[in-house]
Amino acid sequence: MPKATHSPEAGETESLLKLITNRETIEFDPEREGAWIEVIRKMDEVYSDLLRYEVDLEHKNAELEEAQAFVTNVIESVSDILIVCDAKGLMQQVNSAFQHTLGRGVADIVGRNIADVIVDADNARLVPLLKPRGASDVVDGELRFSSEGGSSDLFAINSSPRHDHRGRFIGVVLTGRPIGELRRAYEALHKAHHELQRAQRQLVEQEKMASLGRLVAGVAHELNNPISFVYGNIHTLMRYRTAIVAYLDAVHGKGEAGDLPAQRKSLRIDEILEDFGPLIEGTMEGAVRISEIVKNLRRLSFSKLDEVERVNIERLINTAVLWAVRTKQVRIDLQMEVEPELWISGNEGQLHQVIVNLVENAVDAMRGTELPRLVVSAAREGNEIVFKISDNGPGIDKDHLSHIFEPFFTTKRVGEGTGLGLWISYGIVREHGGELCATNEPGGGATFSFALPAT
């Protein structure tokens, strides 16, 4: 069997070809055969590794391209402007929002210094945004840019520093959004808020005027009795004056001469003299009553909003309840259960308004009640004075209990209420250190109550 034991020379090509084409088995030297097998195996491993590395590289490249496309897409989709600058302020990358703001393409922007696209008046604001600083040191500012159409809207800018792998400062990333439109929207909102507050104050003033109207009506009813009494007494005294003048003229001879005793009897001088005392006392009582009513009215009307004074609860409730009930002109069973010598610190005019509102609401709630009964009480419980206004009406609907102190909420017919009375009363009680509550009684009717610190 022939053996291939040497490398073929150029002259041996023909004999080698014959050797290869020989159908007999070719035998190699065992040492060289093992070397060739090892070389082939190594080449196969290297080739496999190259294939695997190439596949991995293609996967990595595809992932990198996807990540870059994703980041680019996100940056382009952001409505805020984005500017990447180097340490010298040269713009390296911008998004489409910034291009749209300037009205220029990316080729006209990248490579330029950011100071070239800033309004001259804002150059001083740009300096702190570009200063080198630590990684966590973020700076805020405001800038306007020079666009094709002139100065852009004002932008709120956020500047974040950039650092390389060695921690050296290499630039900043600027992000911003226009705040001029936001400020205009805020100003419009602020104006609308002021208009709403003004309308609210007007409604509150209207409710106060309505309360004042009811108060005046109550005062008119309260003044009517003593004024009528005084007027009647004065009219009687005027008739008595005529009789006394006629009798005195007769006594002094200025009138018709005659029998003085008979004339004294006919003019009823003795009865007139006896009636003088009660008439004068009644007139004085009526005048004092009128003076007290006017004094109460002056005390309520001249109370300042922030004025704090000692308030006599008995006098406060008597005045407020009587005036409120008189305005309604209804017959009710009124029960007053007020302990004497109860005092609190507060604004008497405002507290008077609270009692009047609660009493009027209670009277209105008992319109369809056959025998209406109103109980107004005030008593000391520990360091507090507890006020209660109870009626025997139908009570408060369960769905309304959580809404009755809200502004503009009312169950009255149109034109009978604004829905502000209880809301104002609730606020007044809160300002005085209490809380107005409403509950339904088990036997029917409703009770409004609140407690204020006693003095």
Side-chain angles (χ1 to χ4, degrees), residues 429-444:
V429 173
R430 286 286 299 271
E431 290 175 359
H432 282 76
E435 184 170 359
L436 184 58
C437 302
T439 56
N440 285 321
E441 296 297 329

Side-chain angles (χ1 to χ4, degrees), residues 177-197:
R177 62 178 50 187
I179 58 175
E181 183 177 353
L182 181 62
R183 283 187 176 179
R184 288 190 291 270
Y186 175 77
E187 290 175 358
L189 178 63
H190 189 63
K191 182 179 179 181
H193 179 65
H194 274 290
E195 290 294 329
L196 180 62
Q197 286 183 326

Side-chain angles (χ1 to χ4, degrees), residues 4-5 8 49-50 109 111 120 135 161 181 273 294 299 305 357 361 399:
T5 59
D49 290 340
L50 287 175
I109 300 175
D120 293 338
E181 183 177 353
L273 294 176
V294 173
R299 186 178 64 252
L305 294 179
N357 284 339
N361 287 341
D399 295 334

Side-chain angles (χ1 to χ4, degrees), residues 240-278:
Y240 288 174
R241 173 182 176 276
T242 303
I244 291 174
V245 168
Y247 179 71
L248 290 176
D249 287 343
V251 169
H252 295 287
K254 295 182 180 180
E256 298 179 358
D259 188 2
L260 288 178
Q263 196 168 2
R264 181 186 181 97
K265 184 176 182 181
S266 64
L267 293 175
R268 302 178 60 194
I269 298 300
D270 295 331
E271 289 83 352
I272 290 175
L273 294 176
E274 291 179 1
D275 203 20
F276 258 126

Side-chain angles (χ1 to χ4, degrees), residues 6-37:
H6 62 281
S7 299
E9 298 293 337
E12 298 176 342
T13 303
E14 184 178 352
S15 60
L16 181 61
L17 180 60
K18 291 179 179 180
L19 181 62
I20 294 174
T21 56
N22 192 351
R23 294 182 178 180
E24 296 182 7
T25 303
I26 302 175
E27 293 184 6
F28 291 91
D29 180 81
E31 182 178 353
R32 294 193 175 189
E33 182 179 359
W36 278 105
I37 292 175

Side-chain angles (χ1 to χ4, degrees), residues 109-126:
I109 300 175
V110 173
R112 297 181 61 183
N113 195 297
I114 190 173
D116 298 337
V117 296
I118 299 295
V119 174
D120 293 338
D122 292 347
N123 283 334
R125 298 180 178 179
L126 178 63

Side-chain angles (χ1 to χ4, degrees), residues 79-100:
S79 60
D80 295 351
I81 64 171
L82 184 142
I83 312 166
V84 180
C85 297
D86 64 9
K88 296 180 180 180
L90 299 179
M91 293 178 286
Q92 297 175 318
Q93 185 178 356
V94 296
N95 67 345
S96 58
F98 186 63
Q99 299 173 39
H100 179 73

